[in-house]
Structures are given as C-alpha cells and as structure tokens.
Amino acid sequence: MKLFISSDIEGTAGIVDWQQVRASGADYELGRQLLTDEVNAAIEGAAGAGATHILVNDSHSTMQNLRPGALHHNASYLSGRHKPLYMMEGLDATFDAVFMVAYHGAIGAEHAILSHTYNPLAVWETRLNGVVAGESALNALVALHHRVPVVLITGDDATAEEARPFLPEVEAVVVKRSITRFAAESLHPDRACELIRDGATRALARAGAVSPPAIELPATLEVTFLTADMAEMSTWIRGVERAGARVVTITDDDPLRLYRTFVTIISLTRSIVER
Ligand SMILES: [Zn+2]
C-alpha cells in the first residue's frame, strides 16, 4: 500500500508563532522537532495499517523543515524548493491514499492559528466552486486528478472544519483549538502524536472505501488578492479572468491544470509583494 504525506507546519500542536516556523526564527528548532514527531506518528500509524511505501513531501516555506535522519526510516523524503506541483509534488495514480499533516486554516477563517492561503502577503481569499477554500481544498485538486482519496488531515479545529465540504469522508485529527491568529490551546505533544498515530491507522484502514475529493468539475477557482496589481498580473496567464478590482477567476475541467495555474499565479505575484 502506497501512502503520500504532504506536511505543512503551522497546524502542529504547540506552534503558535511565525518565529517557530521560519528558519530565521529563534524557536525554529523547536518547531521543526514538534513537526517531525507528528509526521513520524502519522508514518507509524500508517505502517501499522499496512503502508509499505510512504513518501513525505515537505510543503512548508523552502520545504526542507524535517531532519532527514530524524524521519522514520519507513519513509522517503521529498524536500527542497521549486517543485512543479509544490505541496503535492510526488503524488501520482499509483498511491492509495493521501495524508495532510500539520495543516492550518485559510486566511479568512474567523479563528485560525497562523492562518494563510499559500502566500499571506498576496492572497486575501480563495473560493472553490463558491466555497471558501484553504490549502487542503486547493491541494485536493491534485488528488482528484489522480483519483486518490485524502483520508487524513491534522491541524487545528479551523483546518478540520474548512476541509469538510471538499473532503467529507476525511479523518480529521484536531491537535489544537485556535483562539486568534497567534493564540491556541494545544494538546501536549505526546498526546497529539498519540491521536495522530491512531487516526492514521484508522484512516488508512478504510482508504479503499473513501472517494476522491468532492470537487465538481469543471471547477471555478476565485482568488481575491490584497492589491489590484496582483489581480492584473495574474491575467497575464492564459485562462485567468479578471472578475473585480482584486479578484480573478479560473474555470477548468482539468483539476491538475487548475492547480498548476494557481501555483503559477502564486509564483508570479511574489515579484510584486510588498514587505
Ligand atoms: Zn501552509
């Protein structure tokens, strides 16, 4: 059984601040250790349910947050920058299931720790077929293309809630309760890992019965930016339509092409982000 794990970081129990998730941050070493433990818990749970080949795709920032030697030896590790399929690089139709570990809420969520959608300096909101979409839903487009079910998501309560419309059958493990963007009540890391391990085993055991993501095709993705210039720049890409001063839409019957267009928008607009 082949399992694909996309690991972010902001949804890890105990993490509440950018300085715990950025390589330059004072507490980054703690952040990456907490994340590594949760990823390993997911791997252990999956191995217990019969996963024989596990690929971990590091999906946060420059995508090299896990220490290779500290990662469970049952998994291979895909890391580093400039991956064509970004948070979903490495997934193909030979996989049986997808896990999303340490995910976080979308930028517009009411209570969501470290909320953002790909780029907090550019993206104000994304909607997929009219429903607010976080990174879980956007990344699910790639899983849908390959007809692979997303069976586990871990993170805060906002993450679990926003995934539900697109992943109605997903096993959601909630490891913290968001109070604001910079405050959350977390489980003890050991307890969080225990829940993730059990959730991973349960999720993988029923993977064969879980449908691919529930995203109707052709799908329309609406992206609202912080500035009008970013919306204008996005229309340089074929298939991207201006729908308002700061809004663009893309409609596509191919979910992989839709995701790739979105990733291109994210890459392109980085050039005019203001810091
Ligand atoms: Zn993220």
Side-chain angles (χ1 to χ4, degrees):
M1 197 178 232
K2 283 183 78 174
L3 170 67
F4 178 88
I5 300 179
S6 170
S7 64
D8 206 339
I9 192 169
E10 290 88 354
T12 308
I15 285 184
V16 292
D17 200 287
W18 296 122
Q19 53 100 9
Q20 295 171 306
V21 305
R22 290 184 175 152
S24 57
D27 246 355
Y28 175 64
E29 289 306 317
L30 170 68
R32 69 197 302 205
Q33 186 57 55
L34 292 170
L35 171 67
T36 303
D37 291 345
E38 291 198 0
V39 171
N40 279 338
I43 293 170
E44 280 162 26
T52 47
H53 178 100
I54 300 169
L55 171 61
V56 178
N57 178 40
D58 195 323
S59 303
H60 170 72
S61 187
T62 56
M63 303 182 274
Q64 41 194 299
N65 303 282
L66 300 165
R67 276 205 206 80
L71 201 60
H72 197 292
H73 65 267
N74 271 355
S76 62
Y77 182 41
L78 202 167
S79 59
R81 285 180 291 168
H82 309 313
K83 296 186 273 198
L85 291 181
Y86 216 123
M87 299 183 80
M88 297 301 276
E89 181 66 34
L91 181 68
D92 62 34
T94 66
F95 283 86
D96 298 289
V98 172
F99 285 3
M100 295 172 167
V101 174
Y103 270 43
H104 53 81
I107 181 82
E110 193 174 350
H111 305 282
I113 192 78
L114 301 177
S115 62
H116 65 280
T117 307
Y118 273 80
N119 186 352
L121 301 174
V123 177
W124 181 257
E125 183 177 78
T126 59
R127 284 175 180 266
L128 196 50
N129 291 338
V131 178
V132 172
E135 291 174 4
S136 58
L138 295 164
N139 298 346
L141 287 166
V142 181
L144 176 62
H145 169 81
H146 293 300
R147 311 294 301 169
V148 181
V150 180
V151 297
L152 178 80
I153 187 163
T154 79
D156 68 335
D157 47 342
T159 305
E161 199 179 310
E162 77 183 25
R164 202 54 71 187
F166 307 97
L167 307 170
E169 299 167 86
V170 78
E171 175 92 31
V173 176
V174 175
V175 299
K176 57 186 168 185
R177 183 174 64 89
S178 289
I179 314 294
T180 64
R181 251 180 119 227
F182 294 101
E185 177 189 350
S186 292
L187 299 176
H188 186 282
D190 294 347
R191 179 68 184 140
C193 288
E194 224 172 83
L195 293 183
I196 291 170
R197 201 175 297 117
D198 292 349
T201 302
R202 268 198 311 276
L204 202 63
R206 61 182 186 88
V210 178
S211 305
I215 301 167
E216 212 173 304
L217 300 173
T220 297
L221 178 63
E222 184 183 290
V223 183
T224 305
F225 291 96
L226 265 62
T227 71
D229 289 7
M230 292 170 179
E232 193 278 330
M233 187 179 239
S234 300
T235 64
W236 300 357
I237 303 162
R238 196 184 317 158
V240 180
E241 303 285 341
R242 192 82 176 258
R246 296 184 298 128
V247 187
V248 299
T249 60
I250 318 141
T251 299
D252 209 319
D253 54 10
D254 178 345
L256 184 66
R257 191 168 52 201
L258 181 54
Y259 179 78
R260 292 183 72 113
T261 305
F262 174 71
V263 165
T264 308
I265 286 175
I266 292 299
S267 303
L268 190 63
T269 52
R270 277 198 209 285
S271 64
I272 52 167
V273 152
E274 295 160 44
R275 284 170 198 280

